[in-house]
Each structure stands twice: as C-alpha cells, then as structure tokens.
Amino acid sequence: MANDTKIHFFTKSGDINTPQIIYLQFSYYERMKFSMGEKIKPILWNKELGRCIESNSNTQEQNRYAKRVNKYIDHIEGEVSKILFMTYKHDNPSYWDISRIKDGVKKVIRNYKEKAIEEKIQKELTPSMYFEKYIDSLAKRVIKRTGIYMSPST
C-alpha cells in the first residue's frame, strides 16, 4: 500500500447559517470517516484547505474559534499521520487491522477533547477553588524521608 494517504477534513454542504459537523476522512484498505465533534458555519470553512477561515472580516470571537479548531485539526492530522506511518512501517494488515486503526483514531480524538475540557476547567479555577483543591491534595502528599503517604490526620 502506498504511504501517500491524504487525510481530508470536510463539512457536509447545507444551509450557510447552520453550523455543520467537521469530519475527518482517509483511506486505508477502506474509506474511514470520523466526526471531529466540532461544528462550523460553511461560510467560515475553506473547502480546499480543509480548515477554518481566519480573516479580518470575521469577528474576534469567530477568529478565536477558528484558530482553536484549526489547532485541533492540525493536532489530529499529526496523530493520525503517526498511526498511518506505523501501519505502513509494518505494512501487514494482520498487524494493523482496520478496527485497530479506527480505535486509535477515536482514542486520539477523545483524548484531545478531554484535555481541552481540563484546560477550560483549569482556566475557570478561582483562587478559593484552587485552595480547596490544594487542601484536598495534602492528604495525598508523600513524606520525603520515608517515602510513604501522609495520613489525613497529619
């Protein structure tokens, strides 16, 4: 199998003002299509590049969203390329069966989404919430001299 598989991002055509889901698609013995879990209005999508449009004609909020989605797409494209490189390296369908590739891509998408949620929560952390989180973590501290965890009563 040639290792020039094109990873393609697209949205389905529809109403210009209705956000459409972004999909990831590539072929490896069969065509695979995954939902990225993000939506974008078709007028803010560049079909040729498979990316969101960032321009001065957009609002700041639209540009921030487009930049975040483009960063997400770049990350996913890199990770999928790594997965596909491993398949080409072994080039043995029994080693990398289709379901294994699909699971790998789904895991990459899920992990990125979970990381983004954690970062969002971390940004919204107030000083009092940070202090409460720190107090809760005190029970999990290790005593350097003995290498054991402190008890909650300490």
Side-chain angles (χ1 to χ4, degrees), residues 12-149:
K12 290 188 176 179
S13 56
D15 182 26
I16 292 176
N17 295 320
T18 305
Q20 302 294 321
I21 296 174
I22 300 172
Y23 292 96
L24 155 71
Q25 179 176 303
F26 61 92
S27 294
Y28 181 79
Y29 292 103
E30 70 178 48
R31 182 174 288 165
M32 296 183 212
K33 181 173 150 183
F34 303 91
S35 169
M36 299 289 291
E38 292 287 342
K39 291 185 177 184
I40 190 87
K41 290 184 179 179
I43 58 173
L44 300 174
W45 183 254
N46 185 328
K47 290 181 182 180
E48 288 90 36
L49 295 177
R51 299 288 190 272
C52 298
I53 298 171
E54 298 176 46
S55 71
N56 293 336
S57 61
N58 297 343
T59 65
Q60 275 187 335
E61 184 179 337
Q62 288 173 330
N63 277 333
R64 268 188 255 131
Y65 182 74
K67 187 177 277 189
R68 185 177 63 77
V69 171
N70 286 340
K71 182 180 172 187
Y72 173 47
I73 289 172
D74 291 338
H75 175 78
I76 297 301
E77 184 175 32
E79 292 298 314
V80 170
S81 294
K82 287 179 190 175
I83 291 171
L84 291 175
F85 177 74
M86 291 301 293
T87 62
Y88 298 135
K89 188 174 170 182
H90 291 59
D91 202 28
N92 182 356
S94 63
Y95 179 80
W96 279 93
D97 60 354
I98 304 301
S99 63
R100 200 178 223 179
I101 294 171
K102 288 180 180 180
D103 290 342
V105 173
K106 288 176 185 176
K107 182 179 177 185
V108 166
I109 292 171
R110 189 176 346 101
N111 288 346
Y112 192 87
K113 289 302 235 177
E114 288 171 358
K115 182 181 172 187
I117 290 169
E118 283 180 18
E119 288 175 358
K120 185 177 179 182
I121 291 170
Q122 191 67 27
K123 285 180 182 178
E124 295 172 354
L125 196 63
T126 63
S128 62
M129 290 169 58
Y130 177 81
F131 183 71
E132 288 172 11
K133 194 173 180 182
Y134 176 77
I135 295 298
D136 290 340
S137 71
L138 283 177
K140 300 173 187 166
R141 298 267 173 159
V142 176
I143 300 172
K144 289 182 182 179
R145 185 176 54 82
T146 61
I148 57 172
Y149 288 104

